Amino acid sequence: MIVNVKILVLNWNGQDVILDCLDSISKIKYDNLNIIVIDNHSTDESISNIHLKFPDVEIIALDQNYGYAKAYNKAFKLIGYSEDSFYMLLNNDTTVDNNIIDEFLHAQNKFGSKECILGPKIYYMDDEKKVWYAGGKVNLSFGTIKHIGIRKEDDANSYPVSTDYITGCCIFTHNSNIDKLNGFDELFNMYCEDVDLSLRARLLGIQCLYIPKAVVWHKVSNSFKSEISKNKILLKTSSIFKLYNKHVKVHKRYFGLLLLFLKSFISGFKLLVSKLYKMN
């Protein structure tokens, strides 16, 4: 029997991107899929457009914008955990390779356990040779939370490797792992939910694995229309403080935070200079 996979796409006012996302999902070469859009009370034409162009897609229409963590948790409770099923959580501003499910399941079978959380290689949508995510690195005591390979040209690595965290842009795991973790921590409304989930998973012996043959393209920071924005910086900063308060002992907390903000400032400054240089 072919195992069931439920693809959960979180959406809020994503009429400009959601149809491309669903179109790519519709081309996936796998026979036992359920496609579910979790809509955070969109006020645009997202839902009507989905009904019109993808009538077989199920929509969980929430009564308000609950953000990332709470919206997914509400969907998990509605769907339940009784069925032997995998979840693939996906941002609405992505498109996927048509072999992504086979690559994830092949890696999971090779690993030999359902106790794993898998993440794909993710490229920038507007530069298909440039990597946005090729695994994650976390060392909170030394101020490290970063995507491996970000803004670099692709490498030749094609083997699954253990990684510190899986980005929330695309998460693939068996529903039993979500059940064990009690979903996302709703303390995090946006940013760091994925890092927190991965850290908690690893404490329970659930391994995080980066699967480079599973491929996604991401329209980075579509919600904010830019990689650098005031709202994004404020939300990210708030979530980082929550992450440190939860996972780092007090005597190590502030040194790590200082290093992290210093690294983030340098990285943001380099990105800004790079964009200004391209404009000129």
Side-chain angles (χ1 to χ4, degrees), residues 251-271:
H251 68 282
K252 294 183 178 180
R253 189 177 298 164
Y254 300 105
F255 177 69
L257 274 169
L258 179 63
L259 286 176
L260 179 61
F261 288 132
L262 180 61
K263 291 175 183 178
S264 298
F265 175 79
I266 293 171
S267 176
F269 180 74
K270 287 180 178 178
L271 179 61

Side-chain angles (χ1 to χ4, degrees), residues 20 59 96 101 116 120 124 127 173 184 206 209-210 247 275:
D20 287 339
I59 298 176
V96 300
I101 301 299
C116 56
Y124 284 87
D127 191 342
T173 193
F184 291 101
I206 301 170
L209 299 170
Y210 161 60
H247 289 282
K275 288 191 173 185

Side-chain angles (χ1 to χ4, degrees), residues 5-23:
V5 177
K6 299 185 190 307
I7 300 179
L8 311 181
V9 184
L10 187 63
N11 180 68
W12 178 70
N13 287 345
Q15 64 180 10
D16 295 335
V17 292
I18 186 68
L19 296 182
D20 287 339
C21 178
L22 293 175
D23 183 58

Side-chain angles (χ1 to χ4, degrees), residues 15 19 44-54 59:
Q15 64 180 10
L19 296 182
D44 65 1
E45 301 299 318
S46 294
I47 292 181
S48 58
N49 286 341
I50 292 168
H51 282 313
L52 179 64
K53 298 193 176 182
F54 298 97
I59 298 176

Side-chain angles (χ1 to χ4, degrees), residues 85-99:
S85 183
F86 285 86
Y87 289 158
M88 186 168 83
L89 316 185
L90 195 63
N91 279 13
N92 64 352
D93 55 358
T94 60
T95 58
V96 300
D97 182 75
N98 59 14
N99 289 315

Side-chain angles (χ1 to χ4, degrees), residues 7 10 18 36 46 58 71 79 81 97 101 125-126 136 158 160 176 187 193 202 225 234 244 246 255 258 266 268:
I7 300 179
L10 187 63
I18 186 68
I36 303 168
S46 294
E58 181 182 347
I79 297 167
Y81 303 103
D97 182 75
I101 301 299
M125 186 85 74
D126 59 358
S158 61
S176 60
L187 177 71
E193 306 97 333
R202 290 164 60 200
K225 308 304 177 186
L234 290 174
Y244 269 81
K246 181 175 181 179
F255 177 69
L258 179 63
I266 293 171

